[in-house]
Amino acid sequence: MTLSTVICIGMAGSGKTTFMQRLNSHLRAKKTPPYVINLDPAVLNVPYGANIDIRDSIKYKKVMENYQLGPNGAIVTSLNLFSTKIDQVIGLVEKKKDDYEHCIIDTPGQIECFVWSASGSIITESFASTFPTVIAYIVDTPRNSSPTTFMSNMLYACSILYKTKLPMIIVFNKTDVKKEDFAKEWMTDFESFQAAIRDDQELNGDLGMGSGYMSSLVNSMSLMLEEFYSQLDMVGVSSYTGDGFDNFLDAVDDKVKEYEEFYKAERDRILKEKEEKEKDRKEKSLNGLMKDLGLSDAQKKHNHTDGHESDSSIEVISDLEEGEDDGIVARDEDEGVEREYTFAGDERMTGEVNEDATPDLQKRYAEALASTAKTASSQTAENIARYIRE
């Protein structure tokens, strides 16, 4: 039994939380309860029991108060704080992977807070690199009966697909209010969508498509999205009645197979390519440093004498000196501090320090700098040579 992850994303008001509640109930009725995660820190109540809830560890109102943020900024910051512990979340889910078939994740209603933030990418990448992961893009079907609104929503879905690089299912929600047949027809038949555009222009005039430029733009985008539509599964569901959820689960199973066959291989290839590039970069950096310090010959002689290569795990100097800050130096707190001249009583020092003003000072400074640089270079060379010998 393989645990698969379903990340529910959609515009505010599209019915994500209700969809989550109905999907949870549907799976429990089939005796396969899901592992549920809530990532919306601002929601007051959720109509389902969550195994992991961001609200247990992040207090949304406290974040607003402590960081002086508005609603959206507090959501992003809450997700950022939560993402710092994503390894623990993944560990908890991994422990339960033999007990569950599905892990379903609810995201904030402010879609941009999750999709376009660094924390959203970290959370998505962490799950996708550990479990087969599918994006369920929830669409409010009644509100997308207009061609322009529909096109805007599809463009957003397209951007999410290419941002996450994960299998996606377009879920037309609220089909108890309006059937999704018109949307499926627009996605599979270009001529049908063109007719809908003309009808919208005739019916609404300036209130519809507007200028001729807008009509031309929508036509062009609809042609471009034909390839995008071909990679999607489309499912109509009603979170109110529970209709269509068996079809949704079938689509999830198909996308999990697609993930294993195509997406996982592509992700592994990209990660391997990144690792190789990073390895080459470190090797070039080390070689350049050794050459600058004149240690290349010493290293070769040492390797030839000992009959073995040096420890390849030590690739850069910073690897030997990792500490709490790891090379990050805090900036001086100079706000409100008034700078003073070193020689305040000397009239010559009231202006710029140069050769005309203080030639002796410049000479002493140059000599001291040369001496310090020579000493530092010698000490660094000795340290590196010692590490090589060891």
Side-chain angles (χ1 to χ4, degrees):
M1 183 170 59
T2 303
L3 177 71
S4 59
T5 302
V6 179
I7 302 178
C8 298
I9 297 175
M11 298 287 186
S14 60
K16 293 186 302 300
T17 301
T18 310
F19 174 83
M20 283 277 298
Q21 184 270 332
R22 177 59 69 175
L23 179 60
N24 180 37
S25 300
H26 188 79
L27 287 170
R28 287 183 177 277
K30 295 169 71 70
K31 306 300 181 183
T32 56
Y35 196 86
V36 184
I37 300 177
N38 172 47
L39 294 182
D40 189 350
V43 66
L44 292 177
N45 298 293
V46 290
Y48 51 79
N51 298 89
I52 298 177
D53 196 329
I54 188 175
R55 298 176 301 166
D56 294 337
S57 54
I58 308 294
K59 303 302 180 186
Y60 172 72
K61 290 186 177 180
K62 283 291 184 182
V63 171
M64 289 183 68
E65 180 182 339
N66 293 340
Y67 293 95
Q68 299 296 305
L69 297 170
N72 284 359
I75 291 175
V76 173
T77 304
S78 298
L79 287 170
N80 289 342
L81 295 170
F82 185 79
S83 65
T84 61
K85 304 296 182 183
I86 190 60
D87 56 327
Q88 298 180 21
V89 175
I90 297 296
L92 291 172
V93 179
E94 277 193 307
K95 290 178 182 178
K96 301 292 184 179
K97 64 181 181 180
D98 295 330
D99 302 328
Y100 296 90
E101 291 186 23
H102 300 92
C103 173
I104 57 178
I105 303 174
D106 194 9
T107 59
Q110 289 75 7
I111 188 171
E112 68 281 356
C113 294
F114 181 81
V115 175
W116 304 116
S117 66
S119 54
S121 298
I122 291 170
I123 294 169
T124 303
E125 289 287 331
S126 299
F127 277 100
S129 60
T130 311
F131 311 103
T133 303
V134 178
I135 301 295
Y137 185 72
I138 316 299
V139 177
D140 187 342
T141 308
R143 292 185 179 274
N144 281 267
S145 55
S146 166
T148 49
T149 308
F150 175 81
M151 179 57 62
S152 300
N153 222 323
M154 291 302 103
L155 285 172
Y156 216 120
C158 181
S159 65
I160 292 172
L161 175 66
Y162 288 105
K163 175 75 165 58
T164 60
K165 295 181 176 62
L166 291 170
M168 177 181 284
I169 303 171
I170 301 293
V171 181
F172 291 102
N173 196 15
K174 306 181 183 180
T175 55
D176 55 295
V177 179
K178 185 176 181 62
K179 285 293 183 181
E180 78 283 1
D181 298 338
F182 73 94
K184 290 184 177 181
E185 186 178 0
W186 287 352
M187 296 175 72
T188 54
D189 186 356
F190 175 74
E191 295 296 333
S192 175
F193 186 73
Q194 294 294 309
I197 292 175
R198 289 192 297 269
D199 293 343
D200 186 66
Q201 284 179 313
E202 294 174 1
L203 180 63
N204 298 310
D206 293 339
L207 297 177
M209 201 61 66
S211 65
Y213 167 77
M214 185 64 180
S215 177
S216 176
L217 177 63
V218 173
N219 285 331
S220 301
M221 289 190 296
S222 64
L223 281 171
M224 179 272 293
L225 288 176
E226 278 191 316
E227 181 66 23
F228 167 65
Y229 294 150
S230 65
Q231 305 298 319
L232 299 177
D233 281 2
M234 299 162 282
V235 179
V237 302
S238 171
S239 298
Y240 180 72
T241 65
D243 184 49
F245 276 84
D246 284 329
N247 295 334
F248 172 75
L249 292 175
D250 292 339
V252 170
D253 292 339
D254 291 340
K255 288 300 179 182
V256 167
K257 295 177 183 177
E258 185 178 319
Y259 171 91
E260 296 287 357
E261 186 175 355
F262 299 107
Y263 286 84
K264 188 175 186 298
E266 179 65 15
R267 294 174 70 84
D268 291 343
R269 183 191 67 79
I270 292 174
L271 290 175
K272 185 177 180 181
E273 188 176 305
K274 285 183 178 180
E275 289 177 0
E276 290 176 352
K277 286 182 178 179
E278 182 65 15
K279 184 178 179 181
D280 292 341
R281 186 192 65 78
K282 287 184 177 181
E283 186 175 349
K284 288 180 181 179
S285 177
L286 178 61
N287 290 340
L289 178 62
M290 301 289 279
K291 184 177 179 181
D292 291 342
L293 296 174
L295 293 178
S296 297
D297 293 337
Q299 184 186 24
K300 290 178 181 177
K301 183 177 179 181
H302 171 73
N303 291 341
H304 180 72
T305 303
D306 294 351
H308 60 81
E309 297 293 330
S310 61
D311 186 1
S312 60
S313 64
I314 301 176
E315 296 181 330
V316 293
I317 299 301
S318 61
D319 291 342
L320 303 170
E321 301 175 350
E322 288 187 358
E324 184 178 353
D325 295 327
D326 195 18
I328 299 176
V329 181
R331 184 186 175 196
D332 291 339
E333 294 294 332
D334 57 358
E335 186 176 354
V337 177
E338 184 178 352
R339 299 289 187 183
E340 296 182 358
Y341 289 109
T342 307
F343 306 100
D346 194 338
E347 293 181 356
R348 295 176 301 169
M349 299 303 296
T350 57
E352 181 182 0
V353 177
N354 52 39
E355 292 183 359
D356 296 331
T358 55
D360 293 337
L361 180 62
Q362 289 292 97
K363 183 178 179 180
R364 292 199 303 272
Y365 175 79
E367 290 174 353
L369 180 62
S371 175
T372 303
K374 184 177 179 180
T375 303
S377 177
S378 176
Q379 290 177 350
T380 304
E382 290 176 4
N383 290 337
I384 294 177
R386 185 173 73 253
Y387 284 123
I388 291 174
R389 288 196 300 273
E390 293 173 357

